Amino acid sequence: MLRIQELKLPLGHPECALRQAVLKRLGVSEQNLISFTLFKRAYDARKTSAIQLIYTIDAEVKDEASVLKRLSKDKQIVRTPDLTYRPPVQASGGMKRPVVVGMGPCGLFAGLLLAEMGFNPIILERGKIVRERTVDTFKFWRKGILNPGSNAQFGEGGAGTFSDGKLYSQIKDPRHLGRKVLTEFVEAGAPDEILYVSKPHIGTFRLVSMIEHMRGKIERLGGEIRFEHQVSDILLHERQGEKQVAGVVLANGEAIETNHLVMALGHSARDTFEMLHRRGVFFEAKPFSIGVRIEHPQSIIDCARFGPSAGHPILGAADYKLAHHASNGRSVYSFCMCPGGTVVAAASEDGRLVTNGMSQYSRRERNANAGIVVGVTPEDFPADARANPLAGIAFQRHWEEKAFLAGGASWFAPCQLVGDFLKDKPSTVLGSVIPSYKPGVTPTDLNLCLPEYATIAMREALQAFGRQIPGFSMEEAVMTGVETRTSSPVRMTRGADFQSLNVKGLYPSGEGAGYAGGILSAAVDGIKVAESLALAAVGRQAA
């Protein structure tokens, strides 16, 4: 099989044109082309008047070796790599079952891989099964009734369940582990197109049924999943002067013995971070970002990105990715852009308000939304707190509390029109852009719930973004605050063996540990951690 990369055709080309382009690129006749399949389809919209589709094609031809030799100078034609996933080991008997804490994308795939390798993992999730969690989350959005243990952050599927369901990442993936993730998702009910479109997404409602399917697969393979089982402590013992995992203690008092513990925490598991820190697990503070959600009519973004091709079914709802380095030294960038989506309440603690964005598969809601966020480093924390690696949590909580109060202490979110924000005056009414955030919004002054350096940098960036996307800085666009949980404020640093630097058998993983950002990268990290754990467990057992 040969792979053809960078095969370009105009948007709207006839179906037969792709076959003709393959024949021409390979220089073979119809009789010598056995078959071809689409591996990837992207688009180049830099020239809105002439948008091009960019294909990666896998083709089967007669006398493949001679064709490849003849085209040896064409670096875009290579042998198709083998993307088949093969587990590195299989479990042997007699060892204690590994425990995975958290059932977001990282924990889900760590558990799945361990189950596929025969380790019969126990997965502990503090929240509820996904459908019960959905009921609790929608109750919060509609009625303002928060369940701190079951919400947009906690429960089966993790924070990614209530998001755009984006399945692309910029991580390096030489082993094609991302393909394993996408293949599992398709098996679980995701549309086949996620295997070939350049920016695949699923949407919340589809994610719900997929997660249920994957849960069933883990259980059929011998895994055990316990919901509403929060880990309140870890058991450690000393061996040859080294701390080692001995088990976990649950909030109900039950203890589970294990030598291998995967901590697949989300970025909002603050109480668990605090417990691990008290137990002496090594942590470092890391940079993250703070900002708001901005909403525009999706039609404005479509027209700016696609010009006369806006609305074409292959292109769908347009997205964007923006960045600006402000004169005060701050980086401002768009984050988690959700075409045709909604801004959602993502709080997990009483009295602390947090926003996020999500889309359904169709991406047909009226507004586009994205985070507009400003980089924060540990140097921004109060001087007397910087020695504490968990100081970022206190920083996030401070601004979340300010946002809760600015919105009226009723779970209404503070919002401000872009025009008012740029003029540095509070908003009192809304305009043509209707905010999608539920339970509701309070027009006010976002200076009340953001650091001054952030608002200064954002004002400058919005004007720069308006020059890149006409209409972006429109006066009646809406900014809703605050977005604090762009990534984890901590890193549970690990070594090359994926284990904690100072606790043997503890595997920090995924977004909460500071090693992922999004569904795909978290899932890939879960696979890597499971592999490393499995190799260590078999090695220990063999010894």
Side-chain angles (χ1 to χ4, degrees), residues 47-233:
K47 296 181 179 179
T48 57
S49 59
I51 295 176
Q52 286 188 311
L53 299 179
I54 306 171
Y55 292 96
T56 301
I57 299 292
D58 288 328
E60 185 179 3
V61 297
K62 295 178 181 178
D63 199 7
E64 178 182 296
S66 64
V67 173
L68 194 61
K69 182 178 180 181
R70 173 168 51 82
L71 299 173
S72 60
K73 293 184 179 180
D74 188 338
K75 301 304 180 184
Q76 302 299 334
I77 299 178
V78 296
R79 290 194 187 277
T80 299
D82 182 3
L83 304 184
T84 305
Y85 178 78
R86 297 176 179 85
V89 294
Q90 287 294 318
S92 53
M95 62 184 67
K96 292 177 182 177
R97 299 169 73 180
V99 172
V100 178
V101 180
M103 202 176 172
C106 181
L108 186 67
F109 273 86
L112 175 63
L113 265 291
L114 289 170
E116 287 184 338
M117 290 184 283
F119 286 90
N120 301 328
I122 299 171
I123 304 176
L124 304 173
E125 168 56 53
R126 69 192 294 169
K128 298 181 180 181
I129 62 173
V130 68
R131 290 196 184 270
E132 292 181 14
R133 175 195 181 196
T134 301
V135 171
D136 292 335
T137 303
F138 276 67
K139 182 184 292 185
F140 178 44
W141 293 349
R142 291 167 180 162
K143 299 180 180 180
I145 301 172
L146 174 68
N147 182 339
S150 179
N151 47 61
Q153 305 293 352
F154 298 135
E156 185 179 21
T161 302
F162 297 98
S163 71
D164 192 55
K166 300 177 191 66
L167 299 176
Y168 47 93
S169 173
Q170 294 180 323
I171 60 171
K172 294 180 180 179
D173 189 19
R175 295 177 53 212
H176 309 288
L177 297 179
R179 191 71 175 184
K180 164 69 171 173
V181 174
L182 297 180
T183 301
E184 289 291 340
F185 281 155
V186 170
E187 181 185 309
D192 289 347
E193 69 179 37
I194 70 170
L195 294 173
Y196 63 81
V197 296
S198 60
K199 295 181 178 180
H201 78 283
I202 299 175
T204 291
F205 288 163
R206 291 197 177 204
L207 279 166
V208 168
S209 60
M210 288 165 48
I211 291 165
E212 291 177 321
H213 185 282
M214 294 184 70
R215 180 211 310 163
K217 181 174 182 179
I218 292 171
E219 291 173 332
R220 288 193 301 274
L221 291 169
E224 178 184 350
I225 303 171
R226 301 187 191 180
F227 294 101
E228 299 182 78
H229 279 65
Q230 183 174 354
V231 172
S232 61
D233 204 353

Side-chain angles (χ1 to χ4, degrees), residues 264-314:
L265 307 174
H267 54 42
S268 296
R270 294 164 169 174
D271 49 0
T272 309
F273 293 150
E274 291 164 351
M275 175 272 292
L276 293 169
H277 185 239
R278 288 195 302 270
R279 282 298 184 192
V281 175
F282 186 83
F283 277 83
E284 293 178 283
K286 62 174 281 294
F288 56 98
S289 299
I290 186 171
V292 299
R293 280 272 149 186
I294 191 167
E295 288 187 271
H296 303 86
Q298 181 63 47
S299 58
I300 286 180
I301 307 302
D302 290 344
C303 290
R305 292 280 284 114
F306 297 147
S309 298
H312 193 285
I314 285 183

